[in-house]
Amino acid sequence: MAGIIPPVKKPEAKPKQEQIHKIRITLTSRNHKALEKVCSELIRGAKEHKLRCKGPIRMPTKILRITTRKSPCGEGTNTWDRFQMRIHKRVIDLHSPSETVKKITSINIEPGVEVEVTVADV
């Protein structure tokens, strides 16, 4: 009887849970009011679905500056024009299944606001 191998018990299948992902939503825009409006809508949607969210985290504003001469020919008084463009950035972190994030991000996004979604496993 030494050569008989007892049957192997297979582990019972557990009900599948949706895998939780760490989702980072990065929003950039030149218009900070439109950016804040989109951020507040995303946060409100996350709280309605009772998700763990962190943010909006305000990243430093990038200021792009260009200084040019007013005179096209180079003669005359040395006068200069100074132009600048400010780029505002916000980051929102969510911990949720990816299907839920699709529901949240289906909101109406203001024109001029760029959205980048990065998904990572926890």
Side-chain angles (χ1 to χ4, degrees):
M1 290 265 183
I4 299 175
I5 301 172
V8 177
K9 292 184 179 179
K10 294 182 180 178
E12 294 182 20
K14 295 179 181 177
K16 261 193 171 177
Q17 293 181 350
E18 295 179 348
Q19 187 175 3
I20 302 292
H21 297 286
K22 179 182 177 186
I23 294 132
R24 175 164 281 182
I25 302 171
T26 306
L27 304 159
T28 57
S29 176
R30 291 183 288 161
N31 183 359
H32 69 93
K33 289 184 181 179
L35 187 64
E36 290 294 334
K37 184 177 179 185
V38 172
C39 282
S40 64
E41 289 178 14
L42 282 171
I43 298 286
R44 185 168 25 88
K47 288 185 179 178
E48 285 175 2
H49 286 79
K50 296 180 181 170
L51 299 177
R52 207 171 85 191
C53 72
K54 190 176 186 179
I57 302 167
R58 290 164 178 82
M59 303 306 282
T61 303
K62 288 185 182 175
I63 301 174
L64 307 176
R65 291 188 175 103
I66 295 177
T67 305
T68 60
R69 285 280 307 268
K70 281 186 180 181
S71 173
C73 64
E75 294 183 17
T77 309
N78 291 341
T79 53
W80 300 84
D81 271 331
R82 292 181 290 280
F83 300 100
Q84 69 179 9
M85 180 171 63
R86 294 173 179 250
I87 299 173
H88 305 276
K89 190 173 183 180
R90 305 285 185 269
V91 175
I92 299 172
D93 288 329
L94 299 172
H95 294 280
S96 70
S98 56
E99 292 80 27
T100 311
V101 174
K102 289 177 186 175
K103 294 176 187 175
I104 293 170
T105 57
S106 65
I107 62 166
N108 186 17
I109 296 172
E110 296 283 318
V113 178
E114 295 177 22
V115 179
E116 181 182 331
V117 179
T118 308
V119 180
D121 293 331
V122 174

